[in-house]
Amino acid sequence: MRSRSRPVPDEAEAAAAATDGGARARLWEPVVPWLFIAPAVAYLLLFFGYPIVKNVVMSFQQYTITTFYTGAAPFVGLRNYATILPSDLFSKALLTTVLFTAGSIAGQFVLGLALALFFRHRFPLGGVLRSLLLLPWLLPLAVTGTTWRWMLDTDDGVVNEALRGLHLLSSGIPWLTGTSQALVSVILINIWVGIPFNTAILYGGLQDIPTHVYEAAKLDGAGPVASFRHITWPLLRPVVNVVLVLGVVYTVKVLELILIVTGGGPADATQTLATRSYQLSFQQFEFGRGAATSNVLVAVSLVFAFVYLRAQRRARHA
C-alpha cells in the first residue's frame, strides 16, 4: 500500500479554511457581547442620556417659547439658578418636597412591612388578598387622583359624608382646600398608592429567610420581638435599603398625583419642586428656569441616595 506523505489538496484547503475560521471567530469573540448590549445602550443614550444632557444645557440658557420659533436660546450662565434659588416659593417648595417625601416613605414602609409580616403567615385566601392589595399600585395615577379628589371633597365627598353620618363632625373638613390639611391629604393618598410596592418587595425578602433559623431561635426561647430584632431585620436589611432608595427616588418626583388632586394649592401648600418645575416650564413657559429647578430636584435625589447608601455601608462594616 502506498503511503501519503502530504495531504491531498482537498484536505489542505479544508485545514486552511478551518484555521481561517478559527482566527475570524477569535477576532469576533470580544465584539459579540457588545453587539448584544448595543440596543440597550442606544436606548438608554437616546431616551435617558439625551434628555438629561439637554435639560442641563437648557438650565444655562434663556430658553423660552420664542426659542421654538427663532431657534435662539442665549447662554445666561447661572442666572436661572440665581433667580430661582433665593425665592421664597422655591424654599417653600423644597421644604414641602422634604415633608412629602419623608411622610410618604415612612408611612409606606411601616405599613408595607407590617402587611408583609402579616402575609408571611399562611391562611385561607391569603394569596387572593395579596393580589387585591396590588390594585392601588396598578391603577393609573389619573384614576387614583380623580377618585380621591372626589372622595375628599369638602361638601359632597364620601369621607366627610361618612364622618357626618357617624356624628363625628357637623361640617365638612377641607381636606384639599385647607392650607393645613392639603399636604397631609396628599401624603396619605401617596401612602395608599405606595403600600403595595413596599409590601411586595419586603414580602419577597421575607420569603428568602430560612424558616429553620426561626425554629432554632424559638427553641432558644426567643419571642416574636427578639426574632424580628435579631433575625428578620438584619437579614432583611439589604432589601430594606433597596426599598427605601427606590421609594425616595420615586416619591421625590411625584407630579401627576399632586397636580390632579390639588394642583399645588391651596396657596402653594402642596407645591413641590416637581410641580414648581412643571409650572415654570409648561404654564409660564420659562423652560430654562424649569430645567434649573428639575436639576436641583435630581441633585437632591442623588445626594440622599449617596448619603444613605454610604451610611448603610458603614453600618455593615461597623
Side-chain angles (χ1 to χ4, degrees):
M1 180 179 296
R2 184 177 61 183
S3 61
R4 292 180 296 178
S5 59
R6 294 182 303 173
V8 296
D10 292 342
E11 294 177 346
E13 292 177 359
T19 302
D20 293 340
R24 285 195 297 268
R26 288 191 297 271
L27 180 64
W28 281 96
E29 185 175 352
V31 181
V32 170
W34 291 100
L35 294 177
F36 281 101
I37 67 174
V41 173
Y43 175 83
L44 291 175
L45 291 176
L46 180 61
F47 293 101
F48 290 93
Y50 173 75
I52 291 175
V53 173
K54 182 65 175 178
N55 196 71
V56 172
V57 174
M58 286 175 58
S59 67
F60 297 106
Q61 295 175 321
Q62 188 180 352
Y63 206 103
T64 61
I65 195 170
T66 58
T67 304
F68 293 97
Y69 299 97
T70 64
F75 179 79
V76 295
L78 298 175
R79 185 188 303 173
N80 290 325
Y81 293 94
T83 302
I84 64 170
L85 292 178
S87 66
D88 295 335
L89 186 55
F90 176 85
S91 302
K92 186 175 183 179
L94 179 60
L95 177 60
T96 303
T97 302
V98 173
L99 294 176
F100 176 78
T101 303
S104 298
I105 294 302
Q108 292 172 1
F109 178 77
V110 172
L111 294 177
L113 180 59
L115 287 172
L117 292 172
F118 172 75
F119 284 117
R120 195 169 188 270
H121 303 283
R122 298 184 180 275
F123 56 90
L125 300 179
V128 176
L129 291 178
R130 287 200 306 271
S131 301
L132 293 176
L133 187 66
L134 293 175
L135 287 178
W137 190 50
L138 297 176
L139 287 176
L141 288 179
V143 176
T144 300
T146 304
T147 303
W148 276 102
R149 186 177 62 184
W150 167 72
M151 292 176 60
L152 296 177
D153 184 78
T154 304
D155 299 322
D156 303 320
V158 174
V159 175
N160 281 338
E161 288 292 339
L163 293 176
R164 279 193 288 261
L166 295 173
H167 303 287
L168 296 178
L169 53 85
S170 56
S171 60
I173 299 176
W175 298 104
L176 304 178
T177 56
T179 55
S180 58
Q181 293 92 354
L183 181 58
V184 177
S185 298
V186 293
I187 289 175
L188 293 176
I189 296 173
N190 196 56
I191 289 174
W192 182 82
V193 172
I195 285 176
F197 174 79
N198 285 258
T199 302
I201 302 300
L202 294 171
Y203 177 80
L206 290 173
Q207 295 301 106
D208 292 335
I209 301 177
T211 56
H212 65 82
V213 179
Y214 290 103
E215 294 173 356
K218 188 175 181 180
L219 292 176
D220 291 337
V225 176
S227 297
F228 177 82
R229 179 182 178 184
H230 298 289
I231 298 176
T232 304
W233 184 254
L235 296 180
L236 195 63
R237 186 174 295 173
V239 180
V240 171
N241 294 339
V242 174
V243 169
L244 292 180
V245 172
L246 290 179
V248 170
V249 172
Y250 292 152
T251 305
V252 76
K253 62 182 182 64
V254 168
L255 174 65
E256 301 97 324
L257 188 66
I258 297 178
L259 288 180
I260 293 171
V261 176
T262 62
D268 297 318
T270 58
Q271 191 80 261
T272 63
L273 291 180
T275 59
R276 183 57 183 161
S277 176
Y278 174 84
Q279 289 181 351
L280 287 171
S281 298
F282 301 106
Q283 292 182 355
Q284 302 177 18
F285 303 111
E286 293 287 346
F287 297 101
R289 296 180 183 179
T293 305
S294 63
N295 287 334
V296 174
L297 182 63
V298 173
V300 170
S301 303
L302 292 176
V303 168
F304 172 83
F306 175 78
V307 171
Y308 180 80
L309 292 176
R310 188 175 180 84
Q312 291 298 319
R313 185 178 303 174
R314 288 181 177 178
R316 286 196 301 268
H317 294 291

Short mmCIF file of all heavy atoms in Angstrom, two decimals, residues 67-109:
data_model
loop_
_atom_site.label_atom_id
_atom_site.label_comp_id
_atom_site.label_asym_id
_atom_site.label_seq_id
_atom_site.Cartn_x
_atom_site.Cartn_y
_atom_site.Cartn_z
N THR A 67 -38.04 80.58 21.62
CA THR A 67 -36.93 79.78 21.10
C THR A 67 -37.41 78.77 20.07
O THR A 67 -36.68 78.45 19.12
CB THR A 67 -36.23 79.05 22.26
OG1 THR A 67 -35.81 80.01 23.23
CG2 THR A 67 -35.02 78.27 21.78
N PHE A 68 -38.62 78.27 20.22
CA PHE A 68 -39.14 77.30 19.26
C PHE A 68 -39.38 77.92 17.88
O PHE A 68 -39.42 77.21 16.89
CB PHE A 68 -40.45 76.69 19.79
CG PHE A 68 -40.27 75.85 21.01
CD1 PHE A 68 -40.49 76.36 22.27
CD2 PHE A 68 -39.86 74.53 20.90
CE1 PHE A 68 -40.32 75.58 23.41
CE2 PHE A 68 -39.69 73.74 22.03
CZ PHE A 68 -39.92 74.27 23.28
N TYR A 69 -39.54 79.25 17.84
CA TYR A 69 -39.77 79.93 16.57
C TYR A 69 -38.48 80.51 16.00
O TYR A 69 -38.23 80.45 14.79
CB TYR A 69 -40.80 81.04 16.73
CG TYR A 69 -42.15 80.55 17.19
CD1 TYR A 69 -42.52 80.59 18.53
CD2 TYR A 69 -43.06 80.03 16.27
CE1 TYR A 69 -43.76 80.13 18.95
CE2 TYR A 69 -44.31 79.56 16.69
CZ TYR A 69 -44.65 79.61 18.03
OH TYR A 69 -45.87 79.14 18.44
N THR A 70 -37.65 81.08 16.87
CA THR A 70 -36.43 81.72 16.40
C THR A 70 -35.22 80.80 16.43
O THR A 70 -34.24 81.02 15.71
CB THR A 70 -36.13 82.97 17.25
OG1 THR A 70 -35.89 82.56 18.61
CG2 THR A 70 -37.32 83.93 17.22
N GLY A 71 -35.26 79.78 17.31
CA GLY A 71 -34.12 78.89 17.45
C GLY A 71 -33.01 79.48 18.31
O GLY A 71 -31.97 78.84 18.50
N ALA A 72 -33.21 80.68 18.83
CA ALA A 72 -32.19 81.36 19.64
C ALA A 72 -32.46 81.11 21.11
O ALA A 72 -33.56 81.36 21.60
CB ALA A 72 -32.19 82.86 19.36
N ALA A 73 -31.45 80.61 21.80
CA ALA A 73 -31.52 80.39 23.25
C ALA A 73 -30.21 80.90 23.85
O ALA A 73 -29.26 80.14 24.03
CB ALA A 73 -31.74 78.92 23.58
N PRO A 74 -30.14 82.20 24.15
CA PRO A 74 -28.87 82.78 24.61
C PRO A 74 -28.37 82.12 25.89
O PRO A 74 -29.15 81.76 26.78
CB PRO A 74 -29.23 84.25 24.87
CG PRO A 74 -30.48 84.49 24.07
CD PRO A 74 -31.21 83.18 24.06
N PHE A 75 -27.06 81.99 25.97
CA PHE A 75 -26.43 81.43 27.17
C PHE A 75 -26.42 82.49 28.26
O PHE A 75 -25.95 83.62 28.06
CB PHE A 75 -24.99 81.00 26.84
CG PHE A 75 -24.26 80.43 28.01
CD1 PHE A 75 -24.46 79.13 28.43
CD2 PHE A 75 -23.33 81.21 28.71
CE1 PHE A 75 -23.78 78.60 29.51
CE2 PHE A 75 -22.64 80.69 29.80
CZ PHE A 75 -22.87 79.38 30.19
N VAL A 76 -26.96 82.13 29.45
CA VAL A 76 -27.06 83.10 30.55
C VAL A 76 -26.29 82.62 31.77
O VAL A 76 -26.40 83.25 32.84
CB VAL A 76 -28.54 83.34 30.92
CG1 VAL A 76 -29.26 84.01 29.76
CG2 VAL A 76 -29.22 82.05 31.32
N GLY A 77 -25.56 81.53 31.66
CA GLY A 77 -24.77 81.06 32.79
C GLY A 77 -25.64 80.57 33.94
O GLY A 77 -26.58 79.81 33.74
N LEU A 78 -25.34 81.07 35.13
CA LEU A 78 -26.06 80.65 36.33
C LEU A 78 -27.23 81.56 36.68
O LEU A 78 -27.74 81.50 37.79
CB LEU A 78 -25.09 80.59 37.52
CG LEU A 78 -23.93 79.59 37.40
CD1 LEU A 78 -22.99 79.73 38.59
CD2 LEU A 78 -24.46 78.16 37.31
N ARG A 79 -27.67 82.39 35.73
CA ARG A 79 -28.72 83.35 36.02
C ARG A 79 -30.02 82.65 36.43
O ARG A 79 -30.73 83.11 37.34
CB ARG A 79 -28.98 84.25 34.82
CG ARG A 79 -30.00 85.35 35.10
CD ARG A 79 -30.37 86.10 33.83
NE ARG A 79 -29.18 86.66 33.20
CZ ARG A 79 -29.19 87.25 32.00
NH1 ARG A 79 -30.33 87.32 31.31
NH2 ARG A 79 -28.08 87.73 31.48
N ASN A 80 -30.36 81.53 35.75
CA ASN A 80 -31.59 80.83 36.10
C ASN A 80 -31.54 80.30 37.53
O ASN A 80 -32.53 80.40 38.28
CB ASN A 80 -31.83 79.67 35.13
CG ASN A 80 -32.18 80.14 33.74
OD1 ASN A 80 -32.87 81.15 33.57
ND2 ASN A 80 -31.72 79.43 32.72
N TYR A 81 -30.39 79.75 37.92
CA TYR A 81 -30.24 79.26 39.29
C TYR A 81 -30.26 80.41 40.29
O TYR A 81 -30.83 80.29 41.38
CB TYR A 81 -28.95 78.47 39.43
CG TYR A 81 -28.94 77.18 38.66
CD1 TYR A 81 -28.41 77.12 37.37
CD2 TYR A 81 -29.46 76.01 39.20
CE1 TYR A 81 -28.40 75.94 36.65
CE2 TYR A 81 -29.46 74.82 38.50
CZ TYR A 81 -28.92 74.79 37.22
OH TYR A 81 -28.92 73.62 36.51
N ALA A 82 -29.62 81.52 39.92
CA ALA A 82 -29.59 82.69 40.81
C ALA A 82 -30.97 83.30 40.97
O ALA A 82 -31.25 83.97 41.97
CB ALA A 82 -28.63 83.74 40.26
N THR A 83 -31.87 83.05 40.01
CA THR A 83 -33.22 83.59 40.10
C THR A 83 -34.12 82.72 40.95
O THR A 83 -34.92 83.23 41.76
CB THR A 83 -33.82 83.74 38.69
OG1 THR A 83 -32.99 84.60 37.90
CG2 THR A 83 -35.23 84.32 38.76
N ILE A 84 -34.01 81.40 40.80
CA ILE A 84 -34.96 80.51 41.49
C ILE A 84 -34.53 80.19 42.92
O ILE A 84 -35.38 80.07 43.81
CB ILE A 84 -35.16 79.20 40.70
CG1 ILE A 84 -33.84 78.42 40.65
CG2 ILE A 84 -35.69 79.47 39.31
CD1 ILE A 84 -33.98 77.01 40.09
N LEU A 85 -33.25 80.06 43.17
CA LEU A 85 -32.80 79.59 44.49
C LEU A 85 -33.14 80.56 45.62
O LEU A 85 -33.56 80.12 46.69
CB LEU A 85 -31.29 79.31 44.46
CG LEU A 85 -30.86 78.11 43.60
CD1 LEU A 85 -29.34 77.96 43.61
CD2 LEU A 85 -31.53 76.83 44.09
N PRO A 86 -32.98 81.88 45.47
CA PRO A 86 -33.28 82.76 46.60
C PRO A 86 -34.77 83.01 46.82
O PRO A 86 -35.14 83.63 47.83
CB PRO A 86 -32.57 84.08 46.21
CG PRO A 86 -31.72 83.76 45.04
CD PRO A 86 -32.38 82.63 44.35
N SER A 87 -35.63 82.58 45.92
CA SER A 87 -37.05 82.93 46.02
C SER A 87 -37.70 82.19 47.18
O SER A 87 -37.34 81.05 47.52
CB SER A 87 -37.77 82.59 44.71
OG SER A 87 -37.78 81.20 44.49
N ASP A 88 -38.69 82.83 47.78
CA ASP A 88 -39.43 82.23 48.90
C ASP A 88 -40.23 81.01 48.43
O ASP A 88 -40.37 80.04 49.17
CB ASP A 88 -40.37 83.26 49.52
CG ASP A 88 -39.62 84.41 50.18
OD1 ASP A 88 -38.45 84.19 50.57
OD2 ASP A 88 -40.20 85.50 50.30
N LEU A 89 -40.73 81.06 47.20
CA LEU A 89 -41.52 79.94 46.69
C LEU A 89 -40.65 78.70 46.51
O LEU A 89 -41.10 77.58 46.77
CB LEU A 89 -42.17 80.32 45.36
CG LEU A 89 -43.14 79.29 44.77
CD1 LEU A 89 -44.23 78.93 45.77
CD2 LEU A 89 -43.75 79.83 43.48
N PHE A 90 -39.40 78.89 46.10
CA PHE A 90 -38.50 77.74 45.96
C PHE A 90 -38.21 77.13 47.33
O PHE A 90 -38.21 75.90 47.49
CB PHE A 90 -37.19 78.16 45.30
CG PHE A 90 -36.18 77.06 45.20
CD1 PHE A 90 -36.20 76.16 44.15
CD2 PHE A 90 -35.20 76.91 46.18
CE1 PHE A 90 -35.28 75.13 44.07
CE2 PHE A 90 -34.28 75.89 46.11
CZ PHE A 90 -34.31 75.01 45.04
N SER A 91 -37.95 77.96 48.34
CA SER A 91 -37.69 77.45 49.68
C SER A 91 -38.88 76.69 50.22
O SER A 91 -38.74 75.62 50.83
CB SER A 91 -37.33 78.61 50.62
OG SER A 91 -36.20 79.32 50.14
N LYS A 92 -40.08 77.23 49.97
CA LYS A 92 -41.29 76.57 50.44
C LYS A 92 -41.49 75.24 49.70
O LYS A 92 -41.87 74.23 50.31
CB LYS A 92 -42.50 77.47 50.23
CG LYS A 92 -43.79 76.93 50.81
CD LYS A 92 -44.93 77.95 50.68
CE LYS A 92 -46.20 77.41 51.32
NZ LYS A 92 -47.31 78.40 51.23
N ALA A 93 -41.23 75.23 48.39
CA ALA A 93 -41.37 74.01 47.61
C ALA A 93 -40.36 72.96 48.05
O ALA A 93 -40.67 71.76 48.10
CB ALA A 93 -41.22 74.31 46.12
N LEU A 94 -39.15 73.38 48.38
CA LEU A 94 -38.13 72.45 48.84
C LEU A 94 -38.54 71.82 50.18
O LEU A 94 -38.41 70.60 50.37
CB LEU A 94 -36.79 73.17 48.98
CG LEU A 94 -35.61 72.32 49.49
CD1 LEU A 94 -35.33 71.16 48.54
CD2 LEU A 94 -34.37 73.19 49.65
N LEU A 95 -39.04 72.65 51.10
CA LEU A 95 -39.48 72.12 52.39
C LEU A 95 -40.67 71.18 52.21
O LEU A 95 -40.73 70.11 52.84
CB LEU A 95 -39.87 73.28 53.31
CG LEU A 95 -40.42 72.89 54.69
CD1 LEU A 95 -39.40 72.07 55.48
CD2 LEU A 95 -40.85 74.13 55.48
N THR A 96 -41.59 71.55 51.36
CA THR A 96 -42.75 70.68 51.10
C THR A 96 -42.32 69.37 50.48
O THR A 96 -42.86 68.30 50.81
CB THR A 96 -43.75 71.40 50.18
OG1 THR A 96 -44.14 72.63 50.77
CG2 THR A 96 -44.98 70.53 49.95
N THR A 97 -41.33 69.42 49.59
CA THR A 97 -40.82 68.19 48.98
C THR A 97 -40.23 67.27 50.03
O THR A 97 -40.46 66.05 50.02
CB THR A 97 -39.75 68.53 47.93
OG1 THR A 97 -40.31 69.39 46.93
CG2 THR A 97 -39.22 67.26 47.27
N VAL A 98 -39.46 67.84 50.97
CA VAL A 98 -38.86 67.03 52.03
C VAL A 98 -39.95 66.43 52.92
O VAL A 98 -39.91 65.23 53.25
CB VAL A 98 -37.89 67.89 52.87
CG1 VAL A 98 -37.39 67.11 54.07
CG2 VAL A 98 -36.71 68.35 52.01
N LEU A 99 -40.93 67.23 53.32
CA LEU A 99 -42.00 66.73 54.18
C LEU A 99 -42.84 65.68 53.47
O LEU A 99 -43.19 64.64 54.05
CB LEU A 99 -42.89 67.88 54.63
CG LEU A 99 -42.24 68.93 55.54
CD1 LEU A 99 -43.21 70.07 55.83
CD2 LEU A 99 -41.75 68.31 56.83
N PHE A 100 -43.17 65.92 52.22
CA PHE A 100 -43.97 64.98 51.43
C PHE A 100 -43.22 63.66 51.26
O PHE A 100 -43.80 62.58 51.44
CB PHE A 100 -44.29 65.60 50.08
CG PHE A 100 -45.02 64.67 49.15
CD1 PHE A 100 -46.37 64.44 49.31
CD2 PHE A 100 -44.35 64.03 48.13
CE1 PHE A 100 -47.05 63.58 48.45
CE2 PHE A 100 -45.01 63.18 47.26
CZ PHE A 100 -46.37 62.95 47.42
N THR A 101 -41.93 63.75 50.96
CA THR A 101 -41.14 62.53 50.75
C THR A 101 -40.96 61.76 52.05
O THR A 101 -41.16 60.54 52.10
CB THR A 101 -39.77 62.88 50.15
OG1 THR A 101 -39.95 63.61 48.93
CG2 THR A 101 -38.96 61.62 49.87
N ALA A 102 -40.60 62.47 53.12
CA ALA A 102 -40.38 61.79 54.40
C ALA A 102 -41.66 61.16 54.92
O ALA A 102 -41.66 60.00 55.38
CB ALA A 102 -39.82 62.79 55.42
N GLY A 103 -42.77 61.89 54.88
CA GLY A 103 -44.03 61.34 55.36
C GLY A 103 -44.50 60.15 54.53
O GLY A 103 -44.96 59.14 55.09
N SER A 104 -44.36 60.26 53.22
CA SER A 104 -44.79 59.16 52.35
C SER A 104 -43.94 57.91 52.56
O SER A 104 -44.47 56.80 52.69
CB SER A 104 -44.72 59.60 50.88
OG SER A 104 -45.58 60.69 50.62
N ILE A 105 -42.62 58.09 52.60
CA ILE A 105 -41.73 56.94 52.76
C ILE A 105 -41.95 56.26 54.10
O ILE A 105 -42.00 55.02 54.19
CB ILE A 105 -40.27 57.37 52.60
CG1 ILE A 105 -40.00 57.86 51.18
CG2 ILE A 105 -39.32 56.23 52.93
CD1 ILE A 105 -40.29 56.83 50.11
N ALA A 106 -42.09 57.06 55.16
CA ALA A 106 -42.30 56.48 56.49
C ALA A 106 -43.60 55.68 56.53
O ALA A 106 -43.62 54.54 57.02
CB ALA A 106 -42.31 57.59 57.55
N GLY A 107 -44.68 56.25 56.04
CA GLY A 107 -45.96 55.55 56.07
C GLY A 107 -45.97 54.32 55.18
O GLY A 107 -46.44 53.25 55.59
N GLN A 108 -45.43 54.44 53.97
CA GLN A 108 -45.40 53.30 53.05
C GLN A 108 -44.56 52.17 53.60
O GLN A 108 -44.96 50.99 53.52
CB GLN A 108 -44.85 53.75 51.69
CG GLN A 108 -45.75 54.70 50.93
CD GLN A 108 -45.07 55.25 49.69
OE1 GLN A 108 -43.93 54.91 49.37
NE2 GLN A 108 -45.77 56.11 48.97
N PHE A 109 -43.42 52.49 54.17
CA PHE A 109 -42.52 51.44 54.63
C PHE A 109 -43.08 50.74 55.87
O PHE A 109 -43.08 49.50 55.94
CB PHE A 109 -41.14 52.02 54.94
CG PHE A 109 -40.18 51.00 55.47
CD1 PHE A 109 -39.57 50.09 54.61
CD2 PHE A 109 -39.88 50.93 56.83
CE1 PHE A 109 -38.70 49.13 55.10
CE2 PHE A 109 -39.01 49.98 57.31
CZ PHE A 109 -38.41 49.08 56.45
#
